[in-house]
Amino acid sequence: MTIENQANILTARVESILYYAKPFLTNEHRAGWIGGNAPEFFDDQAEHIHEGNQKYAFYLSLNHPFKPECMISIFIPEDRDIYLENNIYPHCSIKVIEHPVSAESTQGSFTHKDLIKHSISHGERSKDEISMEQPFLIKVGGNPRLIQNEDYYFAKLKKDSLSFFFQVDEDGYPDTLIREDGSYPFGFGSLYIFAKIEKEIRHPAAGFCQFS
């Protein structure tokens, strides 16, 4: 995708790219996966992911929409209270890491106990106004679909010149994604990722999470 097309999706806000979770039926990850094991890139990096006594669980990995050589992986604290209390940038406790494309690990050291592995479909372009009216797992570009539209979520992000990159929305979870005795990590809410968006997209970071 050209820089001009990136600018159209991420700056003009008239279009977005939508992704969906699909039952994992083959070894093909498509555009990534949610649940399951972390990428093997992290096999020897546990000490860099965990912080002291705080353990993290793997949430999802998405092929970077504009950098084919990269992926974006998200880790969330195993202790849900940590990110309930620290849910807004720059103190959001969700880890967002850009890294080289990597296969899924055979090790389950980061596996989230409540999530059943699903693949993430290839992205589909959508008019932004249409995307606001339908469920999706991930929405790249366009405008964020918010649960609470309050200025304080954006204050520090704007100060640091970070712009909306994508969101992960639990409204788009299929019924097969959460284990029978499990719970939604964000309480049927949404996670919002921001980044420096100029000639290229740099430094993706968790902007905030909102809960229903």
Side-chain angles (χ1 to χ4, degrees), residues 50-123:
H50 299 315
E51 295 182 356
N53 294 325
Q54 177 55 56
K55 303 297 184 183
Y56 276 73
F58 170 70
Y59 184 47
L60 66 77
S61 284
L62 176 69
N63 292 343
H64 198 299
F66 309 115
K67 297 180 184 178
E69 73 281 7
C70 294
M71 302 181 82
I72 297 171
S73 290
I74 299 174
F75 293 81
I76 60 180
E78 288 185 353
D79 183 348
R80 194 165 180 262
D81 288 341
I82 296 294
Y83 61 91
L84 286 175
E85 297 170 4
N86 301 278
N87 68 321
I88 301 176
Y89 177 90
H91 305 298
C92 188
S93 56
I94 310 295
K95 291 181 182 286
V96 180
I97 303 170
E98 183 179 312
H99 60 90
V101 168
S102 175
E104 183 183 3
S105 174
T106 58
Q107 300 181 25
S109 51
F110 293 109
T111 305
H112 196 294
K113 63 180 179 61
D114 290 342
L115 300 177
I116 298 172
K117 181 172 64 176
H118 280 56
S119 64
I120 298 174
S121 67
H122 294 299

Side-chain angles (χ1 to χ4, degrees), residues 2-82:
T2 66
I3 291 174
E4 289 76 16
N5 283 336
Q6 289 185 35
N8 182 47
I9 290 174
L10 296 173
T11 306
R13 305 294 177 197
V14 295
E15 281 193 313
S16 55
I17 306 172
L18 304 182
Y19 300 79
Y20 303 90
K22 304 291 184 181
F24 195 84
L25 302 177
T26 71
N27 289 326
E28 181 188 2
H29 282 125
R30 296 185 169 183
W33 67 98
I34 181 170
N37 298 337
E40 60 185 12
F41 175 82
F42 297 100
D43 281 354
D44 59 355
Q45 297 196 40
E47 70 277 11
H48 300 300
I49 302 298
H50 299 315
E51 295 182 356
N53 294 325
Q54 177 55 56
K55 303 297 184 183
Y56 276 73
F58 170 70
Y59 184 47
L60 66 77
S61 284
L62 176 69
N63 292 343
H64 198 299
F66 309 115
K67 297 180 184 178
E69 73 281 7
C70 294
M71 302 181 82
I72 297 171
S73 290
I74 299 174
F75 293 81
I76 60 180
E78 288 185 353
D79 183 348
R80 194 165 180 262
D81 288 341
I82 296 294

Side-chain angles (χ1 to χ4, degrees), residues 115-174:
L115 300 177
I116 298 172
K117 181 172 64 176
H118 280 56
S119 64
I120 298 174
S121 67
H122 294 299
E124 303 173 4
R125 298 282 284 269
S126 172
K127 293 291 186 183
D128 192 55
E129 61 187 61
I130 295 174
S131 74
M132 292 291 188
E133 305 299 326
Q134 64 184 88
F136 51 77
L137 176 68
I138 295 172
K139 175 183 179 179
V140 173
N143 294 287
R145 185 168 67 186
L146 300 168
I147 298 171
Q148 296 97 30
N149 191 4
E150 303 290 346
D151 290 342
Y152 60 80
Y153 283 106
F154 298 90
K156 293 289 188 179
L157 292 161
K158 290 179 178 178
K159 184 177 180 181
D160 288 347
S161 301
L162 293 170
S163 301
F164 174 66
F165 184 10
F166 68 89
Q167 75 181 93
V168 185
D169 198 311
E170 292 187 322
D171 184 41
Y173 282 8

Side-chain angles (χ1 to χ4, degrees), residues 168-188:
V168 185
D169 198 311
E170 292 187 322
D171 184 41
Y173 282 8
D175 294 339
T176 50
L177 184 60
I178 301 294
R179 297 192 185 279
E180 199 169 308
D181 58 347
S183 58
Y184 284 72
F186 300 103
F188 206 70

